[in-house]
Amino acid sequence: MPGAYPQLIQLDQKKPLSAVIKEVCDGWNLPGPENYALQYADGVQTYITESNRLDIKNGCILRLTKAPGCCAEDLYKGIQSSDSGVRCDSLKELAGVSTDVTFAQEFISRDGHLLLVKIVEDSNESNVIMTHTLTAFMELMDHGIVSWENLSSVFIKKIAGFVNTKPTDVSIQQVSLDILESMVLSSHSLFLQVKHEVTMEKLIAHLQVTNQQIQTKAMALLMALLQTAGDSERQVLYSGLVQDEMAHYLYVLQSVTLNHLEPRMRTPLDCYSQEQRDILHGLRQAAFETESENSLSHERRRSLCAKEFKKLGFSNNSNPGQDLVRTPPGLLAMDTMFYFANRYPDAYSRFVLENSSREDKHECPFARSSIQLTLILCEILRIGETPSETGSDYHPIFFSQDRLLEELFCVCIQLLNKTWKEMRATQEDFGKVMQVVREQITRTLSSKPTSLELFKNKVNALNYSEILKLRQTERLHQEETLAPPVELKERLKPELLELIRQQRLNRLCQGTMFRKISSRRRQDKLWYCRLSPNHKMLHYGDVEDDTEAPPIETLQNKIPVADIKSLLTGKDCPHMKENKGKQNKDVLDLAFSITYDVECSLNFIAPSRIDFCLWTDGLSVLLGREMSSESMRSELEILLSMEIKLRLLDLENVPIPDNAPIIPKPPSNYNFCYDFSQTEQ
């Protein structure tokens, strides 16, 4: 006892504690032993009770102190004192002693915690007193003796106010963040109140301060909010708080947490470790349930084990540990397999037995697949990478899922088996299957699923045929966006336009048969028009029905190209104006005219739209104008595309033969023909 000579006692654990305390009090001549209790003098100064007395070790130093009930009574009165000094000392002592559950029960039985709530609600006290009040309240509530549910909205607003306002005292903010975190985790109704009261901007601001304790408490509250929120509420929280800086903090938290797995990932399996060998045999036994193997001879048992390890998908079936020597993924691959076998034993057995009953070449090797899948997940989750200073790519699923790597593995190993079957894969296709599975995982995670269930649904919906469709769409999009190099295109255009001009003029030199449209709408008369080989004259004249392209000298009329004034199309043509209102759209689309002299014109109705385009383009070239038909634009695009692709093939120094290669003789049989299924096409 402070101020008294210590006693060395032999504590008889069979005696009631009250009898022991009476003996100690008698040793110091103290009256009223019921007002005293024993307490540890060192470390956490817990009261000794009948329930914890067996924890006392030989050599323990105990202290005789006021009984918890007396202490609670004194402090209950002290915190109501009119003297602020007494109030402050009482609250400070209360904050320290409230860590003891025995005292807490006594103090709460007197409704002392409600007294603390009232002090906070009134908030007339100094910062020091308020800090002690909040600390004592938090310590009392931590024991779970009373529910958080009964707190008033005024109290919650006051606590949130300490967090939202500019700090006058950092200690008040620290303990207030602690209290809010406990509230959020205790019930959904309190979560809704806290979410309403605490502004996300302020919470993010707390993450940027230099005080590490404030940062930690703010992050703890943020995690509690995300953990308690439902899917829809979590979506709102994310959209409200995940700005660039917030995203960076979440990314760092995720990176640091996942990097705890790095040592396992970097450690190869130790073939001499009995514990690790037992885990491998545990995997084998869980899959095949070989209960009677102990009755077999040593050689027979070894042979059976090797056979079962082979079925399990290990490459080195006599010493399966060799498969796990590669790092990464090292021991992490063994951990994920073991987790899957223990957490989902039915799915594990189904995977192994289903594949061991298939043909050898079509079976999906569980162990080999698991090792590769663990490596893929390590790469996707960037385990072992130091968080970058600007990184912000985090996975919302991480904050709603304990043991993220292992749970993702359990979903993805089953997905791998499904994809293997969809691809009708053999052992030679192992690499291709793993590429598809990697794509399925990365595409699904990029959609930021907020729960494992959501991830599972999305990744299973993204089957092999969907991946093929997405690849095809992306390839086409890439060809459209990347194929036409602009500089090369512009350089090739003049050359190809000249080619089209020459083609148009050659076509005009061949000539075209046109029908005459009389006022009586009889369309049986024909005439022919063609350009002279030197491009100086247009020759035209009437022809009979069955005449092929007539020689140029048989055409009676001609117009010098130099005399042509203009080219008219559609409604502007003289022969369309004469019959205004009577012509249908088809005829209007095919009509064109050339004017020469003062009031003379030669009027055409093209036999088809292609002929219309050829003639209007050709006449535009003769008149020194730009070609403008849709046919010209289409042909230019096709020629440009072909020319660019040929140039990009880089055929320089590649000899192109003048003659076509000789066609080889047909084979004697066609047994090599393979029938592609719909999925593979």
Side-chain angles (χ1 to χ4, degrees):
M1 184 175 72
Y5 193 78
Q7 299 181 35
L8 178 66
I9 63 167
Q10 180 69 39
L11 179 62
D12 186 350
Q13 289 286 28
K14 290 173 187 171
K15 270 187 188 176
L17 206 54
S18 54
V20 176
I21 292 169
K22 187 176 184 315
E23 284 178 13
V24 172
C25 287
D26 290 346
W28 281 315
N29 299 318
L30 294 171
E34 66 279 359
N35 296 324
Y36 291 96
L38 291 174
Q39 189 183 44
Y40 286 106
D42 300 325
V44 181
Q45 293 166 3
T46 313
Y47 280 104
I48 307 295
T49 62
E50 290 291 353
S51 58
N52 69 14
R53 65 184 290 175
L54 295 175
D55 297 337
I56 299 172
K57 301 280 186 297
N58 207 19
C60 270
I61 300 174
L62 305 179
R63 181 169 57 200
L64 189 69
T65 185
K66 268 192 290 190
C70 298
C71 186
E73 190 64 42
D74 291 350
L75 291 176
Y76 185 77
K77 287 174 183 168
I79 60 178
Q80 296 179 79
S81 167
S82 55
D83 185 337
S84 64
V86 173
R87 285 202 307 278
C88 186
D89 291 343
S90 298
L91 285 162
K92 185 178 180 182
E93 189 183 338
L94 178 66
V97 80
S98 291
T99 54
D100 186 274
V101 68
T102 314
F103 170 83
Q105 285 167 335
E106 291 286 348
F107 192 75
I108 288 169
S109 70
R110 291 166 172 75
D111 287 338
H113 62 296
L114 299 179
L115 209 55
L116 300 180
V117 169
K118 191 169 185 317
I119 293 171
V120 174
E121 287 176 351
D122 296 343
S123 53
N124 298 323
E125 299 290 1
S126 66
N127 287 342
V128 179
I129 290 182
M130 192 55 75
T131 304
H132 293 324
T133 305
L134 292 171
T135 308
F137 177 79
M138 186 65 209
E139 293 293 353
L140 289 169
M141 294 302 285
D142 254 358
H143 297 297
I145 299 164
V146 286
S147 167
W148 287 90
E149 291 280 356
N150 305 321
L151 295 169
S152 67
S153 57
V154 177
F155 179 80
I156 296 167
K157 280 184 178 175
K158 289 284 182 188
I159 300 291
F162 293 139
V163 170
N164 290 334
T165 53
K166 200 169 182 186
T168 47
D169 190 326
V170 176
S171 306
I172 291 181
Q173 279 200 333
Q174 276 182 35
V175 72
S176 296
L177 285 164
D178 247 349
I179 292 169
L180 290 177
E181 183 200 351
S182 295
M183 282 183 192
V184 167
L185 293 172
S186 66
S187 81
H188 194 70
S189 59
L190 282 172
F191 156 75
L192 293 171
Q193 286 185 68
V194 173
K195 182 171 78 94
H196 179 69
E197 294 295 337
V198 177
T199 61
M200 284 298 140
E201 293 80 7
K202 196 63 196 169
L203 209 47
I204 292 163
H206 285 319
L207 293 171
Q208 298 164 338
V209 297
T210 50
N211 186 313
Q212 201 171 358
Q213 280 189 305
I214 291 278
Q215 274 186 330
T216 309
K217 305 281 186 197
M219 183 58 88
L221 175 55
L222 186 57
M223 291 304 107
L225 285 165
L226 291 172
Q227 196 176 326
T228 314
D231 278 348
S232 56
E233 290 161 338
R234 196 177 288 127
Q235 245 4 74
V236 173
L237 277 171
Y238 276 126
S239 58
L241 88 151
V242 182
Q243 306 305 326
D244 288 347
E245 284 180 270
M246 188 63 238
H248 174 66
Y249 286 115
L250 293 173
Y251 154 78
V252 171
L253 178 67
Q254 175 187 290
S255 298
V256 171
T257 309
L258 287 174
N259 278 352
H260 287 310
L261 298 167
E262 187 183 2
R264 296 291 284 178
M265 182 182 83
R266 304 270 183 222
T267 309
L269 183 129
D270 178 5
C271 294
Y272 297 103
S273 163
Q274 187 60 46
E275 182 195 350
Q276 292 171 17
R277 285 210 306 273
D278 288 347
I279 290 173
L280 288 177
H281 281 286
L283 284 171
R284 178 183 62 80
Q285 285 163 340
F288 301 108
E289 297 177 7
T290 45
E291 293 156 4
S292 59
E293 66 180 56
N294 290 333
S295 60
L296 302 173
S297 67
H298 180 66
E299 282 304 313
R300 182 82 185 87
R301 190 162 72 246
R302 278 191 66 175
S303 168
L304 179 67
C305 289
K307 191 178 175 185
E308 287 177 347
F309 276 125
K310 187 182 179 187
K311 282 184 183 178
L312 205 51
F314 283 94
S315 307
N316 191 328
N317 50 32
S318 58
N319 186 5
Q322 286 297 318
D323 288 25
L324 293 159
V325 167
R326 183 176 55 140
T327 57
L331 289 175
L332 206 51
M334 184 180 75
D335 295 344
T336 51
M337 285 191 276
F338 189 66
Y339 184 86
F340 178 50
N342 277 294
R343 184 98 163 76
Y344 305 100
D346 292 344
Y348 171 66
S349 300
R350 193 164 54 246
F351 185 116
V352 177
L353 297 174
E354 181 188 321
N355 283 292
S356 58
S357 62
R358 287 186 194 164
E359 289 178 68
D360 279 358
K361 64 174 186 176
H362 278 290
E363 66 182 25
C364 176
F366 172 74
R368 186 184 173 196
S369 302
S370 297
I371 293 163
Q372 193 60 27
L373 177 61
T374 306
L375 179 61
I376 287 171
L377 287 171
C378 287
E379 288 169 359
I380 290 171
L381 297 173
R382 296 178 180 161
I383 294 170
E385 286 184 27
T386 309
S388 74
E389 289 181 13
T390 55
S392 60
D393 184 19
Y394 68 96
H395 300 294
I397 191 174
F398 169 80
F399 301 99
S400 66
Q401 188 60 56
D402 292 332
R403 304 197 69 171
L404 177 68
L405 177 83
E406 290 90 338
E407 287 293 345
L408 278 181
F409 173 86
C410 293
V411 172
C412 295
I413 193 70
Q414 294 173 78
L415 167 79
L416 189 148
N417 191 34
K418 176 171 162 279
T419 304
W420 185 280
K421 287 186 280 187
E422 286 167 359
M423 292 176 71
R424 292 196 175 89
T426 61
Q427 297 292 332
E428 289 76 28
D429 302 318
F430 183 81
K432 290 178 189 171
V433 176
M434 297 315 295
Q435 277 179 345
V436 172
V437 170
R438 179 191 282 269
E439 203 171 323
Q440 287 170 315
I441 298 167
T442 48
R443 282 181 187 275
T444 306
L445 283 176
S446 67
S447 70
K448 303 285 181 190
T450 50
S451 68
L452 189 71
E453 196 57 39
L454 207 57
F455 172 82
K456 188 176 180 179
N457 294 339
K458 283 189 175 186
V459 83
N460 280 303
L462 193 62
N463 54 31
Y464 179 51
S465 55
E466 285 296 314
I467 289 284
L468 287 180
K469 281 181 201 166
L470 286 167
R471 282 178 177 177
Q472 180 68 11
T473 309
E474 284 167 7
R475 191 157 50 239
L476 289 171
H477 178 67
Q478 196 175 20
E479 280 179 12
E480 283 170 20
T481 52
L482 302 179
V486 178
E487 285 185 35
L488 184 57
K489 200 173 184 178
E490 290 305 314
R491 219 174 333 150
L492 293 172
K493 201 180 271 188
E495 184 185 325
L496 296 174
L497 276 170
E498 185 54 40
L499 187 66
I500 295 170
R501 284 192 201 99
Q502 289 305 319
Q503 187 269 343
R504 297 293 192 261
L505 292 173
N506 291 343
R507 186 68 187 75
L508 263 57
C509 290
Q510 288 174 20
T512 305
M513 188 85 72
F514 296 96
R515 288 185 179 276
K516 283 187 179 180
I517 296 187
S518 64
S519 56
R520 294 177 188 174
R521 296 191 173 245
R522 290 183 61 204
Q523 299 188 9
D524 50 349
K525 289 195 176 179
L526 300 167
W527 64 288
Y528 201 85
C529 185
R530 66 191 295 176
L531 181 66
S532 63
N534 62 6
H535 304 168
K536 298 246 173 117
M537 288 285 178
L538 268 181
H539 296 265
Y540 65 97
D542 295 345
V543 291
E544 296 301 323
D545 270 344
D546 299 330
T547 316
E548 292 281 327
I552 202 161
E553 52 275 8
T554 62
L555 302 172
Q556 309 90 342
N557 307 310
K558 59 183 180 180
I559 301 170
V561 170
D563 290 353
I564 298 173
K565 300 285 189 291
S566 63
L567 168 67
L568 306 170
T569 58
K571 292 177 184 176
D572 299 332
C573 300
H575 58 315
M576 292 295 107
K577 284 179 180 174
E578 288 166 15
N579 300 314
K580 199 171 184 185
K582 296 177 184 176
Q583 299 297 344
N584 64 31
K585 189 175 183 303
D586 291 344
V587 175
L588 273 173
D589 283 347
L590 301 174
F592 63 97
S593 303
I594 52 171
T595 60
Y596 59 100
D597 286 346
V598 182
E599 288 192 2
C600 297
S601 65
L602 185 60
N603 303 317
F604 302 77
I605 301 287
S608 68
R609 187 67 190 170
I610 292 171
D611 286 306
F612 173 85
C613 293
L614 291 169
W615 272 87
T616 52
D617 282 347
L619 291 167
S620 295
V621 172
L622 290 172
L623 294 170
R625 296 182 197 164
E626 292 290 327
M627 298 178 287
S628 60
S629 74
E630 67 268 20
S631 176
M632 180 279 297
R633 286 194 293 274
S634 163
E635 287 169 25
L636 179 64
E637 200 54 48
I638 291 166
L639 289 169
L640 270 172
S641 173
M642 286 171 62
E643 191 64 29
I644 283 167
K645 283 175 183 172
L646 282 170
R647 297 284 182 102
L648 294 178
L649 279 174
D650 194 18
L651 295 173
E652 209 171 319
N653 301 324
V654 177
I656 298 171
D658 296 325
N659 302 320
I662 300 162
I663 298 169
K665 289 178 183 177
S668 55
N669 64 60
Y670 292 89
N671 295 342
F672 54 82
C673 177
Y674 184 77
D675 181 20
F676 280 91
S677 69
Q678 194 61 37
T679 310
E680 287 167 318
Q681 285 172 353

